[in-house]
Amino acid sequence: KQEVTQIPAALSVPEGENLVLNCSFTDSAIYNLQWFRQDPGKGLTSLLLIQSSQREQTSGRLNASLDKSSGRSTLYIAASQPGDSATYLCAVRTSGSRLTFGEGTQLTVNP
Amino acid sequence: DTAVSQTPKYLVTQMGNDKSIKCEQNLGHDTMYWYKQDSKKFLKIMFSYNNKELIINETVPNRFSPKSPDKAHLNLHINSLELGDSAVYFCASSPGGGVAGELFFGEGSRLTVL
């Protein structure tokens, strides 16, 4: 059974810092990994999707890497801004259409 | 245009009642999902439909019954509501029947059972 863990559970940083969020998964037989952002009381917004054959994906100040063999992914956020404050969720796609989520990292960027 | 829309956004009801949540996607996707997010913010899949056909049915009580009248709609009906059903229910969709597609989520429906 796939298990996804995100570390840290919460993170508070000053504006402008570069930061890394971590995601690990127990079963390396994944099809893809997706990072989401969730604002309080809102739905999930897809940030980046990495297919199993890829090593990383970039979008603006975000860079996500994937090391399938070690069961790890990182989300790198450059030059963090208060607007980046949200919960970041990692999810892996295994068999069929099943997507397993981590519990998220709650990020606060202080001005 | 909202890609994945759910109604209602908020639902407050008494124990024992029956309620429905509706979901529609205008992305032309073949696969739709229902996820439940509990008070600890953990997201867990409940059901998945591909072209109106049920493909994932997690261990949820029989009181929960999904219905997909067409591939753009996936509704969730809940009978005999219990306190533990209080949660946020998210609808999502993804393209194709394969595994490579990106998931798009609705804004969620917050259900409170009193």
Side-chain angles (χ1 to χ4, degrees), chain A residues 31-32 46 51 93 96 98, chain B residues 35 37 58 99-103:
Chain A
Y31 291 101
N32 59 43
S46 178
Q51 302 295 346
R93 181 81 70 96
R98 198 173 302 276
Chain B
Y35 280 84
Q37 188 172 44
E58 288 295 280
V99 296
E102 187 176 3
L103 255 72

Side-chain angles (χ1 to χ4, degrees), chain A residues 5-12 20-23 88 103-107:
Chain A
T5 304
Q6 290 187 244
I7 295 173
L11 182 63
S12 182
V20 175
L21 308 181
N22 297 293
C23 172
Y88 289 81
E103 296 196 17
T105 294
Q106 187 172 343
L107 173 66

Side-chain angles (χ1 to χ4, degrees), chain A residues 4 31-32 34 36 38 41-44 46-49 51 89 93-103, chain B residues 9 31 33 35 37 41-43 45 48 55-56 58 90 94 97-103 105-108 110:
Chain A
V4 180
Y31 291 101
N32 59 43
Q34 197 167 349
F36 294 89
Q38 186 175 25
K42 298 289 187 182
L44 279 70
S46 178
L47 298 173
L48 290 164
L49 172 70
Q51 302 295 346
L89 293 155
R93 181 81 70 96
T94 49
S95 61
S97 296
R98 198 173 302 276
L99 198 68
T100 304
F101 280 85
E103 296 196 17
Chain B
K9 192 170 182 179
T31 308
Y33 313 78
Y35 280 84
Q37 188 172 44
K41 307 298 183 187
F42 189 63
L43 269 157
I45 191 166
S48 177
I55 54 173
I56 292 177
E58 288 295 280
F90 285 99
S94 67
V99 296
E102 187 176 3
L103 255 72
F105 279 78
E107 294 263 302
R110 181 176 294 276

Side-chain angles (χ1 to χ4, degrees), chain B residues 75-96:
Chain B
N75 304 323
L76 183 65
H77 187 75
I78 314 171
N79 290 325
S80 303
L81 278 157
E82 299 178 357
L83 293 176
D85 298 332
S86 296
V88 182
Y89 293 85
F90 285 99
C91 177
S93 71
S94 67

Side-chain angles (χ1 to χ4, degrees), chain A residues 12-29:
Chain A
S12 182
V13 300
E15 183 176 3
E17 270 203 12
N18 302 325
L19 55 100
V20 175
L21 308 181
N22 297 293
C23 172
S24 61
F25 44 95
T26 54
D27 184 353
S28 62

